[in-house]
């Protein structure tokens, strides 16, 4: 991997950035010593450590048992009862902080709204009553397919208030992808909008939901709630569809929260794995609540007067944890933005930071590399002096992009928290604490309290410092994935033992029993700093979006012209990786530019536009080993334009290699 290679070299660099003294002076974790003590205590005395943190939350029934760990199944705060919507909303309003702004929302066309905690609480309760009136009950699954508007967190929190298990589907996903998720989750309702704004155009969300549900393809869905956002025309099904405004019409703005057991599933979020079928990652109420709240506070050093902005879409886990739950649990004020970074102009983000005086800014390396390309004059034209802390997430950040971010956006005096985590981890696991940790550009640095990562070899032994290995986590943490959703989840007893047990074990636990396999490769340096290099399995990170090669392959072979396909990632200077597809066609069909465009579009329709291959090559055959395995390493070399290296003697047909490289062109 391109970025990975950079990082590996960077781990030998010695440049360090100490926390600025004035920052450290007022930080929640003000020194490295304090961090070390916290981390040590979290491992030595987890019970006392988490007790102090959880005391700040509202529990209908306080927990007495911290944890039940029957690998690979874990429960946290086992016998407690709570509700995350109460901890995100009522708790602050009850403390007299209802007038505090939860979201400064900026719509793409320039419309704005300011939503206070009191507003949000009233909206959530009204909408929750609306959902109840539709007949939804605790434990039912609800798919949410919405734009970045305040009603999206309202919908999530209303579900959480009632114990409905939401599954947010990113607005860029196609009808097929929605249908798969609706059916896997057995959803009874879908919440959507007429459309969403993207670069001045309306993306018709309701129409996409209609095609996902067409011809009774998803028989479990009884209700579709539709928010009016763009005023675009929509088809209507009277038996199924209800406008958001109608759903809340006449509903009370008081809705008592359901007292939920700690392990009640809060949400399902689908993520790509190594097979064609996305995994429904399940998170549990209390552990997720506590961990996202605590990481938000410590990693982003949240204070009363901060204006925080995370640019992630709520459709991904970063948005769940660090636009919605963890941030609201702290009663913090955030900016929420609906549109694209280059609409109407390439300085949109800097304009927003200046306008709202954003103090903490959290974005993805792919965005930073794009900003570098767009030019310094965009940020230079705005007053960014309100910023005091920067963050990144989603992929390794190459040191050049890090240094640019630090200098041009942070004015040379904002710490950068490079946060490593995953959909499955629920919250940040490896990260600097900005007042405590000396930074090395390209390293996510050190484990968060409660987290015990390690870099090991294939046989599970720790590798030497500076050697590459597999990143694992030795003990469970509160927001750990509880399992992969499967019909029947949570109907009794220990929810963790439900779901797709086999896939859960195979993916994360089989290799090193009792230790969580992240799927990432990493190096630990002599200072104990972690350098995450990238995925070691067949998932790609394209512009920070996680995409399974198998998903793209099955989208390709679902086209009538395609016989077989192999998809790999190759380094890209902006998006980290790009998708390269190698395709063999059925007999009698010739690959030409028109078919290439058609197949690319087909992947867009099947999965979503963000999953379209950037390179698509037709070939007479795919290179395979004698046992029939596709030689991906070789395809990766070809896609990257590298010399094909290594042992190719097991190639089934050496001429395939020549034709793929274009030697016969
Ligand atoms: C990658 C996103 C390096 C990693 C929160 C991980 C990172 C995958 C970082 C999870 C980082 C995330 N440095 N790599 N700071 N953060 N990754 O599930 O490969 O969309 O396994 O969660 O992103 O992607 P996911």
């Amino acid at each position: 991997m391109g970025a990975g290679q950079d990082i590996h070299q960077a781990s030998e660099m010695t440049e360090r950035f100490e926390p600025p003294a004035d920052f450290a002076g007022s930080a929640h974790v003000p020194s490295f010593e304090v961090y070390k003590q916290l981390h040590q205590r979290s491992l030595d005395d987890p019970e006392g450590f988490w007790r102090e943190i959880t005391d700040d939350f509202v529990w209908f029934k306080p927990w007495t048992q911290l944890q039940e760990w029957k690998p690979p199944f874990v429960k946290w705060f086992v016998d407690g009862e709570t509700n995350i919507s109460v901890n995100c909303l009522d708790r602050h309003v009850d403390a007299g902080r209802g007038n505090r702004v939860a979201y400064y929302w900026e719509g793409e066309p320039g419309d704005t709204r300011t939503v206070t905690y009191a507003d949000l609480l009233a909206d959530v309760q009204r909408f929750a009553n609306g959902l109840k009136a539709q007949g939804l009950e605790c434990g039912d699954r609800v798919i949410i397919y919405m734009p970045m508007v305040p009603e999206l967190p309202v919908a999530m929190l209303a579900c959480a208030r009632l114990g409905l298990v939401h599954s947010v589907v990113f607005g860029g996903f196609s009808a097929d992808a929605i249908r798969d998720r609706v059916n896997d989750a057995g959803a009874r309702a879908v919440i959507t909008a007429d459309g969403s704004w993207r670069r001045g155009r309306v993306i018709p969300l309701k129409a996409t939901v209609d095609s996902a549900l067409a011809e009774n393809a998803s028989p479990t869905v009884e209700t579709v709630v539709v928010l009016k956002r763009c005023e675009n025309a929509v088809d209507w099904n009277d038996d199924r569809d209800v406008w958001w405004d109608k759903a809340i019409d006449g509903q009370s703005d008081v809705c008592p929260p359901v007292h939920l057991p700690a392990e009640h599933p809060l949400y399902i979020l689908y993520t790509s794995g190594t097979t064609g079928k996305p995994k429904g990652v399940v998170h549990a109420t209390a552990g997720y609540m506590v961990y996202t709240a605590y990481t938000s506070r410590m990693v982003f050093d949240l204070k009363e007067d901060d204006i925080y902005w995370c640019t992630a879409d709520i459709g991904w886990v970063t948005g769940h944890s660090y636009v919605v739950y963890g941030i609201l649990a702290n009663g913090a004020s955030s900016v929420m933005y609906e549109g694209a970074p280059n609409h109407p102009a390439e300085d949109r983000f800097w304009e927003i930071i200046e306008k709202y005086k954003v103090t903490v800014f959290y974005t993805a390396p792919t965005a930073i590399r794009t900003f570098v390309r767009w030019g310094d004059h965009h940020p230079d034209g705005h007053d960014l002096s309100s910023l005091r802390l920067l963050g990144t997430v989603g992929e390794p950040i190459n040191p050049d992009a890090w240094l640019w971010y630090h200098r041009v956006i942070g004015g040379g005096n904002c710490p950068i928290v490079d946060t490593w985590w995953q959909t499955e981890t629920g919250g940040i696991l490896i990260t600097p604490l900005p007042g405590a940790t000396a930074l090395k550009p390209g390293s996510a640095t050190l484990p968060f309290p409660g987290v015990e990562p390690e870099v090991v070899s294939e046989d599970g032994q720790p590798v030497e410092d500076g050697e590459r290995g597999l990143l694992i986590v030795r003990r469970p943490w509160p927001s750990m994935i509880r399992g992969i959703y499967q019909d029947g989840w949570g109907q009794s007893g220990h929810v963790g033992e439900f779901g797709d047990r086999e896939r859960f074990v195979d993916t994360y636990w089989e290799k090193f029993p009792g230790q969580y396999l992240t799927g990432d490769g990493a190096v630990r340096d002599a200072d104990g700093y972690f350098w995450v290099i990238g995925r070691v399995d067949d998932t790609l990170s394209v512009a920070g979006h996680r995409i399974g090669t198998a998903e793209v392959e099955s989208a390709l072979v679902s086209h009538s012209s395609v016989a077989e396909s192999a998809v790999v990632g190759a380094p890209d200077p902006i998006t980290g990786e790009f998708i390269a597809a190698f395709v063999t066609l059925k007999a009698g069909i010739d690959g030409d530019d028109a078919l290439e465009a058609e197949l690319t579009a087909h992947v867009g329709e099947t999965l979503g536009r963000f999953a379209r291959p950037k390179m698509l090559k037709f070939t007479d055959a795919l290179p395979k080993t004698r046992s029939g395995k596709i030689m991906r390493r070789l395809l990766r070399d070809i896609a990257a334009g590298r010399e094909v290296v290594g042992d190719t003697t097991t190639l089934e047909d050496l001429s395939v290699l020549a034709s793929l490289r274009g030697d016969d062109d």
Side-chain angles (χ1 to χ4, degrees):
M1 280 186 48
Q5 206 58 44
D6 265 12
I7 302 260
H8 196 45
Q9 286 154 5
S11 67
E12 330 252 292
M13 293 191 338
T14 48
E15 192 174 13
R16 290 160 69 105
F17 292 77
E18 297 292 335
D22 53 338
F23 190 104
S26 61
H28 291 311
V29 183
S31 71
F32 192 65
E33 275 314 298
V34 174
Y35 158 72
K36 285 306 273 182
Q37 284 162 11
L38 259 183
H39 190 256
Q40 199 55 51
R41 167 144 193 256
S42 72
L43 302 186
D44 295 346
D45 172 25
E47 177 116 10
F49 178 83
W50 290 108
R51 171 68 69 194
E52 273 169 30
I53 292 161
T54 56
D55 273 352
D56 286 345
F57 291 79
V58 175
W59 298 87
F60 302 120
K61 185 169 167 240
W63 59 272
T64 62
Q65 188 187 346
L66 177 72
Q67 190 193 77
E68 181 191 296
W69 176 220
K70 295 183 184 164
F73 297 108
V74 76
K75 292 179 177 182
W76 277 85
F77 315 119
V78 182
D79 49 347
E81 284 181 11
T82 187
N83 188 298
I84 197 170
S85 84
V86 171
N87 281 287
C88 287
L89 303 173
D90 310 54
R91 182 160 57 124
H92 312 309
V93 175
D94 292 348
R97 303 172 76 232
N99 288 333
R100 205 174 146 72
V101 173
Y103 292 115
Y104 293 100
W105 175 75
E106 181 87 18
E108 195 197 66
D111 45 343
T112 60
R113 266 158 69 188
T114 301
V115 185
T116 66
Y117 277 88
D119 296 335
L120 203 53
L121 176 58
D123 289 349
V124 164
Q125 299 195 83
R126 204 174 291 119
F127 190 61
N129 282 325
L131 291 176
K132 258 205 269 191
Q134 298 298 322
L136 293 164
E137 288 171 6
C138 187
D140 286 345
R141 275 82 53 216
V142 175
I143 296 284
I144 303 179
Y145 184 66
M146 287 182 76
M148 283 287 283
V149 293
E151 286 84 355
L152 170 50
V154 168
M156 295 162 77
L157 289 156
C159 287
R161 199 163 186 91
L162 301 175
L164 306 175
V165 182
H166 63 68
S167 184
V168 181
V169 178
F170 169 59
F173 275 110
S174 66
D176 288 357
I178 298 171
R179 186 185 311 117
D180 288 347
R181 286 157 176 75
V182 164
N183 287 337
D184 189 82
R188 283 188 70 197
V190 177
I191 305 171
T192 188
D194 53 357
S196 85
W197 289 107
R198 193 75 184 163
R199 297 193 179 88
R201 285 194 315 129
V202 171
I203 311 280
L205 300 182
K206 164 77 161 68
T208 306
V209 170
D210 286 342
S211 41
L213 306 182
E215 289 159 21
N216 205 26
S218 306
T220 55
V221 174
E222 296 158 28
T223 309
V224 176
V225 182
V226 188
L227 177 78
K228 203 170 262 181
R229 165 69 186 131
C230 300
E231 307 277 342
N232 55 317
V234 292
D235 290 339
W236 206 253
N237 174 344
D238 280 327
D239 298 335
R240 188 197 70 187
D241 301 343
V242 48
W243 286 109
W244 178 291
D245 283 350
K246 273 267 167 52
I248 59 173
D249 193 27
Q251 295 294 344
S252 152
D253 61 5
V254 176
C255 174
V258 176
H259 295 195
L260 295 168
E263 285 296 313
H264 185 79
L266 172 63
Y267 70 78
I268 306 168
L269 186 58
Y270 286 86
T271 188
S272 297
T274 50
T275 72
K277 195 172 168 290
K279 299 175 287 215
V281 171
V282 177
H283 283 294
T285 299
Y288 180 85
M289 169 180 88
V290 169
Y291 195 79
T292 57
Y294 183 56
T295 46
S296 295
R297 180 178 145 84
M298 304 304 255
V299 175
F300 302 117
D301 193 46
L302 291 177
K303 310 266 177 50
E304 204 51 36
D305 43 6
D306 275 315
I307 308 286
Y308 163 92
W309 182 23
C310 167
T311 65
D313 192 286
I314 291 174
W316 306 107
V317 75
T318 306
H320 281 63
S321 301
Y322 300 113
V323 176
V324 183
Y325 290 113
I327 301 300
L328 294 177
N330 280 282
S333 298
S334 331
V335 171
M336 174 176 179
Y337 173 52
E338 179 185 32
N342 56 353
H343 189 85
E346 288 169 351
D347 66 345
R348 182 67 153 138
F349 276 18
W350 321 124
E351 180 187 86
I352 291 176
I353 290 178
E354 180 172 7
K355 175 172 174 186
Y356 293 101
K357 301 198 167 38
V358 170
T359 59
V360 181
F361 179 64
Y362 189 35
T363 195
T366 192
I368 296 166
R369 291 189 293 265
T370 307
F371 299 142
V372 172
R373 197 184 52 182
W374 287 347
D376 293 12
H377 57 290
H378 293 300
D380 286 350
H382 291 276
D383 177 5
L384 306 181
S385 60
S386 55
L387 289 170
R388 68 180 194 95
L389 175 59
L390 304 173
T392 70
V393 57
E395 46 181 323
I397 180 162
N398 46 311
D400 283 351
W402 193 104
L403 292 167
W404 182 89
Y405 194 35
H406 188 257
R407 178 174 53 84
V408 178
I409 306 306
N413 56 21
C414 300
I416 297 177
V417 286
D418 173 350
T419 61
W420 177 87
W421 59 296
Q422 310 177 300
T423 305
E424 293 87 339
T425 69
I428 294 165
L429 296 196
I430 303 181
T431 178
L433 295 179
T437 315
L439 308 173
K440 301 186 192 184
S443 171
T445 75
L446 296 165
F448 191 79
V451 179
E452 199 186 0
E454 183 104 59
V455 181
V456 299
S457 60
E458 283 290 329
D459 60 8
Q461 294 307 311
V463 298
E464 298 282 323
D465 289 344
E467 292 295 314
R468 255 175 214 241
L470 305 171
L471 181 65
I472 62 162
V473 187
R474 289 231 184 263
R475 59 166 86 195
W477 60 98
S479 63
M480 190 176 93
I481 176 176
R482 297 302 198 261
I484 295 173
Y485 187 81
Q486 194 176 41
D487 199 24
W489 180 287
Q491 275 166 4
S492 72
H494 190 170
V495 290
E497 285 167 12
F498 288 83
D500 190 341
R501 190 187 168 114
E502 199 178 313
R503 198 166 173 205
F504 182 55
V505 171
D506 279 2
T507 313
Y508 308 107
W509 305 101
E510 183 97 275
K511 202 170 174 81
F512 308 121
Q515 320 205 17
Y516 173 78
L517 183 70
T518 66
D520 278 344
V523 173
R524 183 159 61 183
D525 70 17
D527 294 329
Y529 277 41
F530 288 83
W531 300 75
V532 176
I533 295 162
R535 306 286 311 182
V536 292
D537 58 10
D538 290 328
T539 59
L540 308 178
S541 169
V542 180
H545 300 327
R546 197 162 139 190
I547 298 165
T549 53
E551 281 175 276
V552 183
E553 286 164 3
S554 56
L556 283 165
V557 297
S558 73
H559 188 281
S560 58
S561 302
V562 174
E564 196 179 17
S565 80
V567 167
V568 296
D572 184 283
I574 301 289
T575 58
E577 282 185 286
F578 71 82
I579 301 177
F582 297 86
V583 171
T584 63
L585 296 170
K586 289 188 181 154
I589 298 176
D590 284 330
D592 56 14
D593 289 352
L595 186 57
E596 181 182 328
E598 186 178 322
L599 293 181
T600 306
H602 178 72
V603 174
E605 281 150 28
T606 312
L607 289 173
R609 291 172 63 85
F610 63 89
R612 290 178 305 182
K614 181 165 153 190
M615 174 200 275
L616 193 147
K617 274 182 187 265
F618 295 113
T619 171
D620 293 338
L622 292 169
K624 290 187 183 160
T625 61
R626 281 186 218 289
S627 62
K629 270 190 84 165
I630 293 174
M631 303 182 76
R632 289 171 182 282
R633 173 177 50 80
L634 206 141
L635 293 177
R636 275 195 283 270
D637 285 343
I638 294 169
R642 282 192 294 262
E643 251 329 271
V644 175
V645 289
D647 177 21
T648 54
T649 52
T650 53
L651 257 186
E652 184 60 24
D653 178 357
L654 280 169
S655 66
V656 166
L657 178 58
S659 83
L660 277 171
R661 273 200 312 225
D663 294 1
D664 58 351
D665 279 354

